[in-house]
């Protein structure tokens, strides 16, 4: 199971590290390895959230996510995206930006750093919307009940998440963004840029998430009918078939996943400049890390990990909320990548351990109930 799921990741790692050594020696090998670890540590919560969406898709769209999706993730976000950012912000031709990345990596890094406020605002607001929609949703399973129960009541207010997100954006634009960090330790007023990029992030979430939700809801009636068929299969002693989305619904979920991955990758791409400004080392290292994120996503789906560990998805969404706040704060202050990575790992680790404890408690309760049923007759339902 592990080899089948992570086989391509292992192969890409081996080829990538060997190529780095042959082309650039031990220095290239070390930098690519460090960047791979950085990407994995920063994107583990991405894999958990991806798995929650991917498990709804059928086998065809899961394969699309692993093939076309990884090409978009590796070449699009880790290689093309930084070039496009430089091209747009510096108002130069994309090919000129590529030449700049190869011939003058220091100037290239400077242009990307100066574009960071717009990148952080877009990605931060997109991720903040994901967190707010999750935390405001009323759900049966709650991890931190003292927090999630009152917040779920806020979700009864129409567009509460949008209102709070826009309020956070206004606060960021009027305070943090007025002294945005620029290359060389200088500061500039980027309030207008941050406001525009942040609104674009919210709109992107509403459009992509709304379309995927619309087509997903259209299939609810079919799923309800299939649920009745599953119950009939259980009664007949047959294994029920799992219904997963295809067609337009799966396409928009796939699109949502790609935008989600893009928002997560902002932090990794920007953080990579703390290690190197070589575009090829960066693309190779972050690409290897992205492969493991994809493989981990599939592993979580195939193992049913999210169903077994009930609070894991909660921990990942809390990590998303923290990452969104860090991105917005990083417009002015640099946040070390170690802090970003460890905060996500700590929240997911805590949710995992809490899930394990609750599973143990459930099994112990079931065992006590089974033992007690031998001494007492079963109490009819409703008594």
């Amino acid at each position: 199971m592990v080899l089948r799921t992570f086989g391509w990741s292992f192969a890409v790692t081996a080829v990538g590290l060997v190529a780095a050594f042959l082309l650039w020696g031990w220095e290239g090998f070390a930098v690519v390895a460090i960047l791979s670890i950085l990407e994995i540590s920063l994107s583990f919560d991405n894999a958990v959230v991806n798995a929650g969406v991917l498990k709804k898709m059928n086998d065809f769209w899961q394969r699309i996510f692993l093939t076309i999706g990884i090409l978009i993730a590796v070449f699009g976000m880790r290689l093309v995206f930084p070039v496009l950012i430089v091209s747009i912000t510096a108002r130069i031709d994309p090919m000129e930006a590529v030449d700049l990345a190869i011939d003058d990596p220091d100037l290239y890094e400077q242009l990307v750093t100066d574009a960071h406020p717009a990148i952080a605002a877009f990605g931060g607001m997109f991720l903040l919307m994901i967190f707010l929609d999750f935390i405001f949703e009323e759900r049966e399973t709650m991890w931190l009940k003292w927090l999630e129960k009152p917040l779920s009541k806020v979700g009864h207010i129409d567009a509460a998440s949008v209102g709070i997100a826009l309020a956070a954006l206004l606060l960021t634009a009027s305070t943090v963004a007025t002294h945005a960090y620029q290359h060389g330790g200088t500061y500039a007023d980027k309030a207008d840029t941050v406001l525009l990029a942040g609104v674009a992030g919210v709109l992107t979430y509403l459009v992509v998430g709304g379309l995927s939700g619309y087509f997903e809801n259209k299939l609810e009636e079919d799923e309800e009918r299939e649920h009745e068929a599953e119950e009939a299969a259980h009664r007949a002693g047959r294994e029920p078939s799992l219904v997963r989305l295809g067609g337009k619904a799966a396409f928009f979920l796939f699109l949502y996943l790609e935008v989600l991955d893009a928002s997560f990758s902002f932090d990794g791409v920007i953080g990579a400049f703390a290690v190197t400004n070589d575009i090829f080392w960066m693309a190779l290292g972050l690409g290897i890390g992205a492969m493991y994120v994809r493989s981990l996503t599939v592993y979580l789906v195939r193992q049913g990990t999210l169903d077994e560990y009930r609070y894991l998805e909660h921990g990942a969404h809390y990590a998303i909320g923290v990452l969104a706040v860090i991105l917005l704060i990083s417009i002015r202050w640099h946040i070390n990548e170690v802090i970003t990575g460890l905060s996500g790992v700590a929240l997911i680790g805590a949710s995992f351990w809490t899930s394990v404890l609750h599973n143990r408690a459930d099994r112990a309760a079931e065992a006590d109930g089974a033992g007690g049923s031998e001494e007492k007759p079963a109490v009819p339902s409703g008594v």
Side-chain angles (χ1 to χ4, degrees):
M1 175 65 181
V2 174
L3 185 60
R4 187 180 71 172
T5 305
F6 289 89
W8 278 106
S9 297
F10 295 152
V12 169
T13 302
V15 173
L17 291 177
V18 170
F21 175 74
L22 293 177
L23 293 173
W24 304 298
W26 284 111
E27 182 183 4
F29 178 91
V31 170
V32 169
I34 291 171
L35 289 174
S36 302
I37 296 172
L38 173 68
E39 178 70 7
I40 295 171
S41 64
L42 290 175
S43 301
F44 186 81
D45 47 357
N46 187 9
V48 176
V49 177
N50 281 354
V53 179
L54 192 65
K55 69 180 182 180
K56 301 176 184 179
M57 297 181 178
N58 59 27
D59 292 335
F60 171 78
W61 280 101
Q62 288 186 7
R63 288 194 297 271
I64 291 294
F65 176 74
L66 287 174
T67 52
I68 298 176
I70 193 62
L71 291 176
I72 296 173
V74 174
F75 296 103
M77 289 310 304
R78 275 73 179 182
L79 181 60
V80 177
F81 172 73
V83 172
L84 288 179
I85 287 294
V86 170
S87 175
I88 294 171
T89 56
R91 297 180 181 179
I92 60 177
D93 185 83
M95 292 308 300
E96 188 178 347
V98 173
D99 294 336
L100 192 64
I102 298 173
D103 300 331
D104 195 349
D106 291 332
L107 179 57
Y108 177 79
E109 178 186 357
Q110 175 184 339
L111 294 174
V112 174
T113 302
D114 291 345
H116 175 68
I119 300 171
F122 181 92
M125 293 309 299
F126 186 89
L127 294 177
L128 184 61
M129 284 296 300
I130 293 174
F131 169 72
L132 291 176
D133 272 355
F134 179 85
I135 203 69
F136 289 158
E137 183 181 350
E138 192 167 3
R139 59 188 72 249
E140 293 182 5
T141 302
M142 294 185 178
W143 183 31
L144 305 178
K145 290 184 179 180
W146 58 271
L147 177 63
E148 295 174 20
K149 193 169 183 179
L151 287 179
S152 66
K153 297 178 180 178
V154 177
H156 295 160
I157 303 173
D158 291 339
S161 58
V162 176
I164 292 175
L166 291 178
L169 177 60
L170 286 174
L171 180 63
T172 302
S174 60
T175 56
V176 176
T178 56
H179 293 81
Y181 179 82
Q182 300 288 274
H183 185 79
T186 60
Y187 294 87
D189 186 350
K190 294 286 185 177
D192 293 342
T193 300
V194 166
L195 197 60
L196 183 62
V199 170
V202 173
L203 287 176
T204 301
Y205 173 83
L206 292 176
V207 171
V208 178
L211 287 173
S212 63
Y214 169 73
F215 285 104
E216 185 178 354
N217 290 336
K218 282 185 66 176
L219 297 178
E220 280 188 356
E221 293 183 1
D222 292 339
E223 291 181 356
E224 289 177 3
R225 286 195 293 269
E226 187 64 27
H227 180 67
E228 295 176 358
E230 286 180 6
E231 292 181 346
H234 277 301
R235 289 193 296 268
R238 300 192 306 272
E239 187 69 21
S241 59
L242 179 62
V243 175
R244 289 172 293 187
L245 301 182
K248 291 181 180 179
F251 169 76
F252 283 106
L253 282 177
F254 170 77
L255 185 61
Y256 173 77
L257 278 176
E258 292 307 315
V259 178
L260 178 64
D261 180 75
S263 298
F264 272 102
S265 69
F266 291 155
D267 192 61
V269 171
I270 298 302
F273 280 103
V275 181
T276 181
N277 56 11
D278 188 298
I279 186 174
F280 299 109
W281 293 4
M282 191 182 303
L284 185 56
L286 296 181
I288 291 174
M291 284 291 298
Y292 281 95
V293 174
R294 281 295 196 278
S295 296
L296 183 59
T297 298
V298 175
Y299 181 81
L300 293 174
V301 172
R302 292 175 177 172
Q303 291 291 99
T305 305
L306 297 184
D307 296 327
E308 183 178 357
Y309 301 101
R310 67 189 79 179
Y311 302 127
L312 198 58
E313 197 168 2
H314 291 72
H317 279 86
Y318 279 107
I320 286 176
V322 171
L323 178 56
V325 172
I326 288 176
L327 279 172
L328 295 178
I329 292 175
S330 69
I331 293 172
R332 181 171 181 176
W333 296 284
H334 174 70
I335 308 296
N336 192 284
E337 290 74 26
V338 174
I339 297 176
T340 305
L342 288 180
S343 61
V345 171
L347 285 166
I348 294 174
S351 63
F352 174 80
W353 180 242
T354 308
S355 300
V356 171
L357 294 179
H358 275 268
N359 288 344
R360 289 178 181 175
D362 288 345
R363 285 193 292 267
E366 289 176 3
D368 291 341
S373 64
E374 296 178 359
E375 301 174 4
K376 289 183 177 182
V379 179
S381 174
V383 175

